[in-house]
């Protein structure tokens, strides 16, 4: 006989072998399912309850597993993004460095062509330069400072003087920078006193243009140290004289003395020259005088 509750075949038994239902009361159970459920043994209801609870607990673990997987994917994605960011930053740094190198090459090429064109006619070129040539003016002044310091460094190394780097390179470098900046400041002050309209960048470009021959003089001075101290020191002096000539040439190409100033333009320019000469004497005079004394001594000539 088949059990109407669990559909188990029991033969001629009065009770179901699986669920224990009374097979003799089948019609009443079929007619009243609620009473059949009530007559269901306790262990059967407990087993069905446990099975349903176990089935319900299985999906509850699924979100936690998916969350862990999502976190793992997010951490992996974060690491991938970090490595990609590092690679992109390295590529960007390489691009910036390459751009700086290319810009330096372009500036050097432009300055070389500018230098050669100015060397033939410095005064005529000075009248045509503008703000865009101010960088070339600063580069020219930087070359003058470095070349003058190199001259003293080579000279001190040949005569075996102490304090080679400080006294032979750093100090002359700072002295020359002070002289050049003081010259620009004095020109600026005089033009302001004269109430003349001018552009500071153009002023730097004009002054730097007239200093190009001083660069050539210093290059020759460094080369002639090996041949003759007398020629080398003469070329060094010429390079500093060019600074005075450039200062006066820039000032006098402006229309000075247009207003009734308290002091005449001639005296203001003279004061500027005296100040530059005093700075030159105080900063470099002792070194140059010492080199001239060494040159005039019997052991200083080559």
């Amino acid at each position: 006989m088949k059990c109407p509750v669990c559909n188990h075949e029991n033969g001629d038994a009065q009770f179901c072998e699986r669920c224990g239902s009374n097979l003799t009361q089948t019609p009443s159970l079929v007619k009243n399912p609620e009473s059949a459920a009530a007559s269901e043994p306790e262990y059967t209801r407990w087993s069905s309850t446990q099975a349903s609870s176990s089935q319900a607990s299985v999906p509850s673990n699924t979100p936690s597993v998916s969350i862990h997987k999502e976190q793992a994917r997010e951490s992996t994605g974060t690491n991938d993004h970090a490595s990609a960011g590092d690679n992109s930053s390295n590529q960007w740094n390489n691009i910036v460095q390459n751009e700086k190198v290319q810009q330096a090459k372009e500036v050097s090429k432009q300055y070389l062509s500018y230098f050669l064109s100015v060397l033939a006619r410095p005064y005529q070129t000075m009248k045509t330069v503008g703000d865009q040539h101010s960088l070339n003016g600063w580069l020219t002044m930087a070359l003058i400072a470095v070349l003058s310091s190199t001259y003293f460094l080579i000279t001190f190394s040949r005569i075996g003087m102490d304090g080679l780097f400080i006294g032979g390179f750093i100090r002359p470098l700072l002295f020359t920078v002070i002289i050049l900046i003081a010259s620009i400041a004095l020109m600026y002050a005089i033009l302001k006193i004269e109430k003349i309209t001018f552009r500071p960048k153009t002023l730097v470009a004009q002054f730097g243009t007239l200093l190009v021959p001083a660069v050539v003089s210093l290059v020759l001075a460094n080369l002639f140290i090996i041949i003759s101290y007398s020629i080398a020191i003469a070329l060094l002096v010429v390079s500093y004289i060019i600074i005075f000539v450039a200062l006066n040439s820039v000032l006098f190409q402006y229309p000075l003395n247009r207003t009734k100033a308290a002091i005449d333009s001639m005296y203001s320019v003279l004061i500027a020259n005296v100040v530059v000469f005093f700075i030159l004497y105080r900063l470099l005079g002792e070194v140059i005088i010492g080199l001239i004394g060494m040159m005039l001594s019997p052991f200083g000539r080559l």
Side-chain angles (χ1 to χ4, degrees), residues 128-228:
T128 59
V129 294
D131 292 354
Q132 68 275 14
H133 298 96
S134 60
L135 178 60
N136 294 327
W138 288 116
L139 289 175
T140 302
M141 287 183 274
L143 284 175
I144 291 174
V146 172
L147 289 172
S148 61
S149 302
T150 305
Y151 173 87
F152 290 108
L153 181 63
I154 296 173
T155 303
F156 287 173
S157 64
R158 286 179 64 85
I159 62 179
M161 293 182 65
D162 297 331
L164 187 62
F165 185 73
I166 300 297
F169 187 81
I170 298 299
R171 189 175 296 173
L173 179 67
L174 295 176
F175 290 170
T176 308
V177 169
I178 291 172
I179 292 170
L180 294 172
I181 293 178
S183 300
I184 296 174
L186 288 168
M187 288 187 294
Y188 183 89
I190 290 173
L191 294 178
K192 281 294 185 181
I193 292 173
E194 296 287 337
K195 297 180 181 180
I196 295 175
T197 302
F198 68 98
R199 301 177 68 88
K201 288 185 177 181
T202 303
L203 184 68
V204 172
Q206 292 172 342
F207 185 61
T209 300
L210 295 178
L211 292 178
V212 168
V215 175
V216 178
S217 179
L218 286 170
V219 171
L220 295 175
N222 283 276
L223 295 175
F224 273 95
I225 293 176
I226 304 174
I227 302 172
S228 174

Side-chain angles (χ1 to χ4, degrees), residues 11-297:
D12 296 331
Q14 293 182 355
F15 297 94
C16 180
E17 297 175 354
R18 175 178 293 178
C19 64
S21 299
N22 192 350
L23 301 178
T24 59
Q25 298 179 358
T26 302
S28 61
L29 290 173
V30 172
K31 292 179 181 178
N32 191 3
E34 295 180 356
S35 61
S39 64
E40 185 178 359
E42 186 68 23
Y43 79 91
T44 304
R45 292 196 298 269
W46 180 84
S47 63
S48 62
T49 304
Q50 292 296 321
S52 62
S53 63
S54 64
Q55 291 176 356
S57 63
V58 170
S60 64
N61 294 329
T62 305
S64 63
V65 175
S66 62
I67 290 172
H68 288 298
K69 289 183 179 180
E70 288 294 331
Q71 291 178 352
R73 282 197 292 267
E74 287 178 359
S75 62
T76 305
T78 303
N79 294 330
D80 293 338
H81 286 303
S83 61
D86 293 337
N87 293 330
S88 62
S89 63
N90 292 330
Q91 292 177 357
W92 176 253
N93 292 330
N94 293 330
I95 292 172
V96 171
Q97 291 177 359
N98 292 331
E99 288 181 354
K100 289 182 178 179
V101 171
Q102 294 297 328
Q103 289 176 358
K105 290 181 180 179
E106 290 296 328
V107 170
S108 61
K109 290 180 181 179
Q110 293 176 2
Y111 181 75
L112 182 60
S113 60
Y114 159 83
F115 186 88
L116 295 176
S117 62
V118 170
L119 188 60
R121 293 180 175 273
Y123 187 77
Q124 295 296 328
T125 307
M126 182 266 295
K127 294 181 178 180
T128 59
V129 294
D131 292 354
Q132 68 275 14
H133 298 96
S134 60
L135 178 60
N136 294 327
W138 288 116
L139 289 175
T140 302
M141 287 183 274
L143 284 175
I144 291 174
V146 172
L147 289 172
S148 61
S149 302
T150 305
Y151 173 87
F152 290 108
L153 181 63
I154 296 173
T155 303
F156 287 173
S157 64
R158 286 179 64 85
I159 62 179
M161 293 182 65
D162 297 331
L164 187 62
F165 185 73
I166 300 297
F169 187 81
I170 298 299
R171 189 175 296 173
L173 179 67
L174 295 176
F175 290 170
T176 308
V177 169
I178 291 172
I179 292 170
L180 294 172
I181 293 178
S183 300
I184 296 174
L186 288 168
M187 288 187 294
Y188 183 89
I190 290 173
L191 294 178
K192 281 294 185 181
I193 292 173
E194 296 287 337
K195 297 180 181 180
I196 295 175
T197 302
F198 68 98
R199 301 177 68 88
K201 288 185 177 181
T202 303
L203 184 68
V204 172
Q206 292 172 342
F207 185 61
T209 300
L210 295 178
L211 292 178
V212 168
V215 175
V216 178
S217 179
L218 286 170
V219 171
L220 295 175
N222 283 276
L223 295 175
F224 273 95
I225 293 176
I226 304 174
I227 302 172
S228 174
Y229 278 122
S230 58
I231 298 177
I233 194 67
L235 291 170
L236 179 68
V237 173
V238 168
S239 65
Y240 283 104
I241 292 175
I242 293 174
I243 296 176
F244 287 93
V245 175
L247 184 147
N248 291 277
S249 298
V250 171
L251 286 176
F252 281 112
Q253 62 100 22
Y254 285 97
L256 300 179
N257 203 25
R258 294 191 306 170
T259 61
K260 295 180 180 180
I263 184 173
D264 190 79
S265 301
M266 180 66 185
Y267 296 114
S268 61
V269 174
L270 179 62
I271 291 172
N273 283 271
V274 170
V275 171
V276 174
F277 179 79
F278 179 76
I279 296 173
L280 178 63
Y281 173 76
R282 293 292 297 175
L283 298 180
L284 294 176
E286 296 180 0
V287 178
I288 295 175
I289 292 173
L291 291 176
I292 292 175
M294 182 193 64
M295 177 191 66
L296 295 177
S297 65

